[in-house]
Amino acid sequence: METTTAIKELKVSIQGYAGAFHEAAARAHFVDSGVITVPAHTFADVVSQVESGRSDVGLMAIENTLAGSLMANYDLLQTADLRITAEVYLRIRLNLMALPGTKLSQLREVYSHPVALMQCRAFFKAWPRIEVIEAVDTALSAREVMEKRDPTRGAIASSAAAALYGLEILAPGIETNKLNHTRFLVLERGRNHAADQGNKVSLSFSTSHRSGSLHKVLNVLAAYEVNLTKIQSKPIVGKPWEYRFHVDFLLEGHISLAQALDAIRPICSELRVLGVYNEGVKP
């Protein structure tokens, strides 16, 4: 007699609602689990939900190829009692949608998340009568178009959101640049990364307020042939003109993580490993 293996349910906190790009990224990554999304208005809410145990993991966008880094999320990573355990890359296709039968010329207001609006500025130059308005989420914007039944109102969201809320796509793929991808981080409770494995490391550190301090750290990493994939600076609140650096790098077999940390620890302060995980597959 055949036996079936039950699919494990996984509660995943996402910034956004059903049909959001965060949900698409979660389902693309956790393909062997029954994903139950736990919606959150803000990324701070995502962090709180994972820390409190209301969800098993969280998903947080950290950078987009058009809009750049989400700087506030670096602050959340620094203070959260969480660690990065994976990364997910997703191709973002932004669609203008409205109630079925609506013509684009009828629209007077279009709602979406600020990052999505930023990626579609060029499209709306040809439609000056349309006011673009920032909202909490792409998918929630689509849902509210359905709920309000206002033919002058549109939203920018995913094709999944259009199908879910019964909307018609008036203009597909309106993002300015088609090479539009977002990198998401998978977050789990606790800061102890000792049991985590992977070839990619995210860490944060600050240096002394002296000329050349950052250069010394990067020189040491270069000497150990560490493949640096990203460096992001962020001002330290309460310390004018001092910065915290967030770095991603690949361990390519030259040295261990412990060796890399031992090499830079003497010339860093506030050194913290944010996560050890496998490099994500870029689309």
Side-chain angles (χ1 to χ4, degrees):
M1 185 174 71
E2 291 186 4
T3 58
T4 57
T5 303
I7 296 177
K8 178 187 175 184
E9 290 187 344
L10 189 72
K11 292 182 179 179
V12 183
S13 283
I14 62 167
Q15 190 279 317
Y17 294 80
F21 290 106
H22 274 78
E23 181 183 54
R27 297 193 185 282
H29 182 68
F30 296 109
V31 291
D32 296 326
S33 300
V35 171
I36 301 173
T37 54
V38 181
H41 248 42
T42 67
F43 288 112
D45 291 338
V46 170
V47 169
S48 177
Q49 288 173 356
V50 181
E51 287 179 329
S52 65
R54 287 178 57 194
S55 58
D56 301 306
V57 300
L59 212 68
M60 174 189 284
I62 195 65
E63 60 180 315
N64 174 268
T65 51
L66 301 187
S69 297
L70 279 69
M71 300 305 295
N73 286 355
Y74 281 99
D75 289 333
L76 290 172
L77 288 175
Q78 187 64 30
T79 58
D81 186 23
L82 305 175
R83 69 192 191 282
I84 305 165
T85 57
E87 66 177 2
V88 187
Y89 292 89
L90 186 69
R91 166 73 166 91
I92 305 297
R93 292 178 176 86
L94 296 168
N95 308 289
L96 177 60
M97 58 195 66
L99 294 173
T102 301
K103 297 184 184 303
L104 209 160
S105 58
Q106 290 178 260
L107 296 181
R108 292 296 174 264
E109 296 179 346
V110 169
Y111 294 78
S112 196
H113 189 277
V115 175
L117 295 178
M118 187 184 305
Q119 296 165 16
C120 302
R121 284 175 178 166
F123 176 85
F124 287 100
K125 287 181 179 179
W127 298 93
R129 294 179 64 184
I130 297 176
E131 181 182 5
V132 292
I133 302 172
E134 294 185 359
V136 170
D137 177 50
T138 56
L140 184 60
S141 298
R143 191 179 82 184
E144 290 181 345
V145 169
M146 179 268 292
E147 292 173 344
K148 293 183 183 299
R149 312 302 300 174
D150 182 353
T152 69
R153 185 182 183 120
I156 298 171
S158 68
S159 57
L164 182 63
Y165 300 117
L167 301 180
E168 182 179 334
I169 294 177
L170 306 184
I174 65 170
E175 62 273 11
T176 303
N177 190 309
K178 304 309 174 186
L179 296 178
N180 185 15
H181 302 86
T182 295
R183 177 187 175 216
F184 300 83
L185 303 177
V186 177
L187 305 175
E188 296 188 29
R189 277 187 298 282
R191 294 190 176 192
N192 186 359
H193 59 84
D196 297 332
Q197 296 184 353
N199 66 334
K200 192 167 186 177
V201 180
S202 293
L203 57 83
S204 65
F205 63 88
S206 57
T207 62
S208 63
H209 192 39
R210 295 178 181 176
S211 177
S213 296
L214 174 62
H215 183 66
K216 289 179 182 178
V217 176
L218 298 182
N219 267 353
V220 170
L221 292 176
Y224 278 91
E225 298 183 0
V226 164
N227 183 2
L228 195 68
T229 60
K230 183 177 178 65
I231 180 168
Q232 182 74 57
S233 64
K234 191 78 172 62
I236 300 176
V237 176
K239 296 182 178 180
W241 314 118
E242 294 190 31
Y243 296 85
R244 181 176 291 110
F245 300 93
H246 293 261
V247 170
D248 298 331
F249 61 86
L250 296 174
L251 292 169
E252 299 182 327
H254 306 295
I255 60 169
S256 67
L257 173 58
Q259 288 173 312
L261 295 178
D262 287 344
I264 63 173
R265 187 173 283 111
I267 49 178
C268 290
S269 56
E270 298 183 15
L271 178 62
R272 179 190 165 192
V273 176
L274 299 171
V276 180
Y277 50 96
N278 285 318
E279 181 183 15
V281 178
K282 296 182 177 69

